[in-house]
């Protein structure tokens, strides 16, 4: 089930300390668990995305991932996750072991074996300042988003606030319009 939108690609890991270790070495990882709990927070922070075989849109993994802006697929009940053997099995006898690369789509809830090319959303690129509405690269969607944001900024009476727990979260919130 789609739990937190976006897409993520990385090596499968089955525990949070390993996720942190590999991420510190520059590896992109996907944390795979039956379900997450607060003890997994450091691994969730280190991971590109989270995949669980239990839970739903209000599960720990889903709620925490959405709050962090991380891609998450929850409740993939057809997956048999064996954290001790460090593997999961999917229908058709497909086995994925720790270190194998998978791609997850948090919008559709689909899990792919292997690396699927991932590109940033044009709207996110616009908010990040990488895509200007008057550039040749901008399409009608970007120009429409820009128009509505300019209009909203001209009419608003309240500022934009954000809940940011880390330095990178603060920087991103500022880029998206939050002010002190």
């Amino acid at each position: 089930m789609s739990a937190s939108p976006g897409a993520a690609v990385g090596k499968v890991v089955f525990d949070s300390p390993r996720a942190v270790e590999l991420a510190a070495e520059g590896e992109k990882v996907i944390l795979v668990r039956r379900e997450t709990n607060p003890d997994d927070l450091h691994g969730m922070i280190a991971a590109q995305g989270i995949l669980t075989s239990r839970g739903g849109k209000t599960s720990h993994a889903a709620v925490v991932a959405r709050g962090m802006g991380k891609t998450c697929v929850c409740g993939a009940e057809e997956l048999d996750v064996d954290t001790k053997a460090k593997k999961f099995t999917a229908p058709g006898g497909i086995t994925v072991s720790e270190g194998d690369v998978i791609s997850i789509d948090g919008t559709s809830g689909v899990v792919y074996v292997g690396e699927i090319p991932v590109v940033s959303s044009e709207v996110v690129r616009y908010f990040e300042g990488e895509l200007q509405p008057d550039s040749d690269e901008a399409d009608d969607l970007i120009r429409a988003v820009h128009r509505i944001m300019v209009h909203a900024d001209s009419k608003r009476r309240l500022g934009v606030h954000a809940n940011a727990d880390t330095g990178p979260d603060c920087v991103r919130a500022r880029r998206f319009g939050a002010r002190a």
Side-chain angles (χ1 to χ4, degrees):
M1 137 180 340
S2 59
S4 184
V9 178
K11 291 183 177 181
V12 171
V13 294
F14 291 92
D15 62 67
S16 290
R18 183 72 174 144
V20 171
E21 177 186 331
L22 288 177
E25 295 171 3
E27 297 285 348
K28 293 184 177 187
V29 299
I30 305 291
L31 179 63
V32 179
R33 308 282 292 151
R34 285 189 193 102
E35 57 192 351
T36 63
N37 63 58
D39 292 339
D40 290 313
L41 182 61
H42 61 293
M44 295 172 76
I45 292 168
Q48 298 296 305
I50 299 105
L51 169 63
T52 67
S53 60
R54 295 184 189 155
K57 290 186 184 275
T58 59
S59 68
H60 178 268
V63 171
V64 172
R66 277 194 303 275
M68 291 190 294
K70 297 269 182 179
T71 299
C72 183
V73 174
C74 289
E77 295 174 353
E78 63 277 0
L79 300 182
D80 180 19
V81 177
D82 185 345
T83 56
K84 289 184 181 167
K86 297 185 185 277
K87 66 178 182 175
F88 71 81
T89 307
I94 299 168
T95 300
V96 176
S97 301
E98 186 162 283
D100 292 347
V101 174
I102 63 170
S103 303
I104 61 174
D105 182 338
T107 303
S108 67
V110 176
V111 178
Y112 302 92
V113 175
E115 183 174 346
I116 303 294
V118 175
V119 296
S120 294
S121 157
E122 288 185 1
V123 174
V124 170
R125 290 182 53 220
Y126 164 77
F127 281 113
E128 296 278 356
E130 298 171 15
L131 183 60
Q132 299 304 314
D134 55 358
S135 72
D136 292 337
E137 194 179 357
D139 61 10
D140 289 340
L141 173 64
I142 298 306
R143 285 188 283 281
V145 168
H146 179 71
R147 274 193 312 273
I148 198 164
M149 294 307 296
V150 168
H151 176 72
D153 283 343
S154 73
K155 299 294 182 187
R156 72 179 152 112
R157 295 182 303 212
L158 296 174
V160 176
H161 298 270
N163 180 12
D165 298 319
T166 66
D169 286 349
C170 293
V171 171
R172 184 178 183 109
R174 289 286 204 163
R175 284 193 310 261
F176 277 53
R179 297 292 171 246

